[in-house]
Amino acid sequence: MTKLFGTNGIRGVVNNDMNCELALGIGKAWGTYLKRTVAKPKIAIGTDARLSNDMLNTAITSGLLSTGCDVVDVGLVPTPTLQYTVKEKDFDSGVIITASHNPPHFNGIKGVASDGTEFSKNVEEAIEKIYFEKNFSLANWGDVGKHSTWDGSIDLYINGILSTVDVDLIRKQRFHVALDCGNGAGSVVTPTLLEKLGCTTIELFCEPDGTFPGHNSEPLPENLGELIKTVKESDVSFGMAQDGDADRAIFIDENGTYIWGDKTLSLAGKYITEENKGGISVTPVTTSTCFEDTIQNSGGELIYTRVGSPIVARVMMERNAVFGGEENGGLIFPELQYCRDSAMSLAIILEILAKEKRSLSELIAEIPNYEVYKTKITCSNDKKEVIMRALVDKVKDNKDVIKIDETDGVKLYVKGGWILMRPSGTEPIFRVYVESKDKHQAEQLALNYKKIVEDMIQSMNTT
Ligand code: MG
């Protein structure tokens, strides 16, 4: 169990729990870890648009250099751009300084393995162990690392995407697109990608700015009012928004309707499964059944995993999957790389529209619809495990339960729907997800099971 690394790297408030001492120590631990297997590791480092990036970048770079690693700074880039660079340019590891969609006073550090995927939990645990034990292996004075910069990362990445989609077909359609980069890292890639794909673009908040003046960088409906308004008032084929580090994409159909991530996941999954005439797709247990229905109806097979994109990506590699991703707009295309990739999602959606010659709203209407309820209940971290076990005991003999799945938390399949109760990996809360095709059933299940979890937490607090 890692203390510093959460579901998506280390995150914290700048100059509070995310400070230069931590970054320096993590840099030394990271370098020490890499040098156990590589004599002279070469590391790529990139950042999103945040104001504290220089402070953290120089601190972690200094730590890495002190252990004898060479560090190449690729500048302000989306997370998937850094990941692609690590894989394609044979780096031994990658560092991305980002707090993704968190508010501007947050920042974070995320690790990338030599194959471009996010660090596995084992690697994070090993780095933390070195960090806490201060078991650093510093280089001799003549062997400290060298620092350099490289500005080829964005072109490399855009060309990688262009080589995996049918550029001529997309260019012929001359799509008109509204793009909202949320002043995040996507600003340095996505407008150029759209231009190369022959699109004309209405740009909103496409200048990198770590104060996020446009809106909060989580692409939720309440943050995308300007984009939705722009789509409604213009004749664009669709709108697209990226989160702060541009690994996640959210689409708005041509009528201005917000499309939830599980629908986009299903649309892309259908297309890729049909193109491959089957194949495996991978997603966490939290994803709507609309994805399972779509993959199975397209002749594919779906595998569920625990929550977390690094877990999804690694299962995809192990099972040679054709597609995967999360319900939050994080889509993974193995043809390019094994990580969430918003720019690649955009290119695929354009290719689907170009081939199908139908509107995005028409294509989304074909995806099955489920009513989803998500709620959370406060619960102290030290009680989560015992509550989890007690919950399984309590509900396993419930006569309505058809199947129990304990991949992550406890997922109960009942007639017409399912309930998932799982402790958060990062916050002191228990999450309850409910899904059913029937709105009334979903509401009832949500109320019932929220109460079961609340009562269980209450009883544990009083014992
Ligand atoms: Mg992100």
Side-chain angles (χ1 to χ4, degrees), residues 4 10 19-33 56 59-64 66-67 109 127-128 130-132 134-136 138:
L4 298 171
I10 307 174
N19 53 55
C20 51
E21 289 83 2
L22 172 69
L24 179 69
I26 287 292
K28 286 196 230 175
W30 199 311
T32 302
Y33 171 78
L56 295 171
I60 195 166
T61 296
S62 179
L64 287 162
S66 74
T67 61
I109 299 168
I127 291 172
E128 276 200 20
I130 299 166
Y131 173 84
F132 284 116
K134 296 195 183 334
N135 194 13
F136 307 126
L138 300 183

Side-chain angles (χ1 to χ4, degrees), residues 100-101 243 245 247-248 340:
S100 185
H101 59 274
D243 75 331
D245 66 329
D247 55 355
R248 294 194 285 128
R340 295 179 298 187

Side-chain angles (χ1 to χ4, degrees), residues 46-98:
T47 72
D48 67 11
R50 285 166 198 273
L51 304 187
S52 54
N53 285 337
D54 287 348
M55 176 186 92
L56 295 171
N57 185 345
T58 45
I60 195 166
T61 296
S62 179
L64 287 162
L65 295 171
S66 74
T67 61
C69 297
D70 288 338
V71 178
V72 179
D73 190 331
V74 302
L76 195 171
V77 290
T79 296
T81 308
L82 187 274
Q83 292 181 268
Y84 190 71
T85 304
V86 170
K87 176 175 76 109
E88 292 296 309
K89 301 304 277 184
D90 295 328
F91 282 95
D92 298 297
S93 182
V95 181
I96 184 86
I97 312 278
T98 178

